[in-house]
Amino acid sequence: MTLASPLRELLASTPSSALPITYQQAANALGLSPPRTIQRVAQALEQLMREDAAAQKPFIATLVISRSGKGLPAAGFFELAVELGRYPAFPSQQEAFYYSERQQAINEWCRC
């Protein structure tokens, strides 16, 4: 079974005041146990990004961030967003795009 659908449901049902959540929080909420919990969440997020890009919707994956860093997703998020043609290739421009996309995702997907 793929984790993408349950992860989308989790993110859509999380109150916007509790967003974004970390990869670990997502793994815990989905009841995942080691090994590779974060990797499995990341793979599900990548699938959601591909689905959202195909549907021309905001990336729901923006609602999951890395525990380290400055409240942003892991580098793989930005790499795939660029590959999908949704983000600028220049890292210096990506943070602003991310915050805009995250707000659009909350508006589009969140039911709380």
Side-chain angles (χ1 to χ4, degrees), residues 17-30:
S17 61
L19 293 169
I21 64 172
T22 66
Y23 294 93
Q24 187 64 57
Q25 287 172 314
N28 292 345
L30 292 169

Side-chain angles (χ1 to χ4, degrees), residues 30-91:
L30 292 169
L32 301 180
S33 55
R36 303 179 317 117
T37 56
I38 302 304
Q39 181 182 10
R40 289 186 281 163
V41 169
Q43 289 170 339
L45 289 168
E46 288 173 4
Q47 181 179 339
L48 292 175
M49 289 176 72
R50 286 184 172 86
E51 291 173 6
D52 292 346
Q56 299 182 331
K57 299 281 190 179
F59 290 138
I60 198 168
T62 59
L63 306 181
V64 183
I65 59 171
S66 176
R67 188 170 46 188
S68 60
K70 26 183 201 174
L72 298 170
F77 168 86
F78 293 100
E79 292 165 7
L80 183 55
V82 170
E83 180 184 317
L84 293 170
R86 295 278 294 270
Y87 274 46
F90 302 107

